[in-house]
Amino acid sequence: MRPVIPYVTAALLFGLGVYGVLRRRNAVLVLMSVELMLNAVNLILVTADTTAKAVLPHGGQVFALFVIVLAAAEIGVGLAIVLQLYRMRASVAVDEIPLTEQHAAKPVAATTVGQASRAVGSEPEGPR
């Protein structure tokens, strides 16, 4: 068996998955792209196992099974996060996810302008 064809196919699948992760805005399509990358890794592991004589028998196939289990867990957790995101924001666009917490500004209760500006921090602190 010539291992060139599966390796090139896996490289193309992995490249397509990377492109999907970097360019897609829909969270479900990003998860599908990650799955595509994991399947490319599985193809490489199985191909390497059949072409190279390893110390462990069928080591690549065992690692491929672990990657499949990891992919199933990733999809379960990822889809739960996407579903919760859709319930909260009514959209699954990755660009619209706030990465920082946005707190509401608390009103400053001061009697004079100097105290209010010191509370906000616009006036430099000096000796009092």
Side-chain angles (χ1 to χ4, degrees):
M1 177 180 152
R2 292 185 171 228
V4 175
I5 294 172
Y7 285 143
V8 170
T9 304
L12 290 174
L13 283 175
F14 195 84
L16 190 62
V18 168
Y19 176 76
V21 167
L22 294 177
R23 296 296 295 169
R24 296 293 177 184
R25 294 183 179 166
N26 190 346
V28 175
L29 293 177
V30 170
L31 287 175
M32 288 174 61
S33 298
V34 170
E35 288 294 320
L36 201 60
M37 290 190 297
L38 289 173
N39 286 329
V41 170
N42 281 341
L43 182 59
I44 288 174
L45 286 172
V46 171
T47 303
D49 185 47
T50 57
T51 58
K53 298 299 179 194
V55 177
L56 296 173
H58 306 296
Q61 294 174 10
V62 171
F63 281 125
L65 284 176
F66 282 123
V67 172
I68 290 171
V69 170
L70 179 73
E74 177 256 336
I75 280 297
V77 172
L79 285 178
I81 291 171
V82 168
L83 187 64
Q84 187 65 27
L85 177 69
Y86 182 74
R87 286 180 182 168
M88 291 176 63
R89 305 272 180 199
S91 172
V92 290
V94 179
D95 293 342
E96 298 174 3
I97 299 173
L99 298 178
T100 59
E101 293 184 23
Q102 299 171 351
H103 295 289
K106 295 180 181 177
V108 178
T111 57
T112 64
V113 176
Q115 289 175 344
S117 63
R118 271 195 297 271
V120 173
S122 63
E123 190 174 287
E125 296 264 342
R128 294 182 191 178

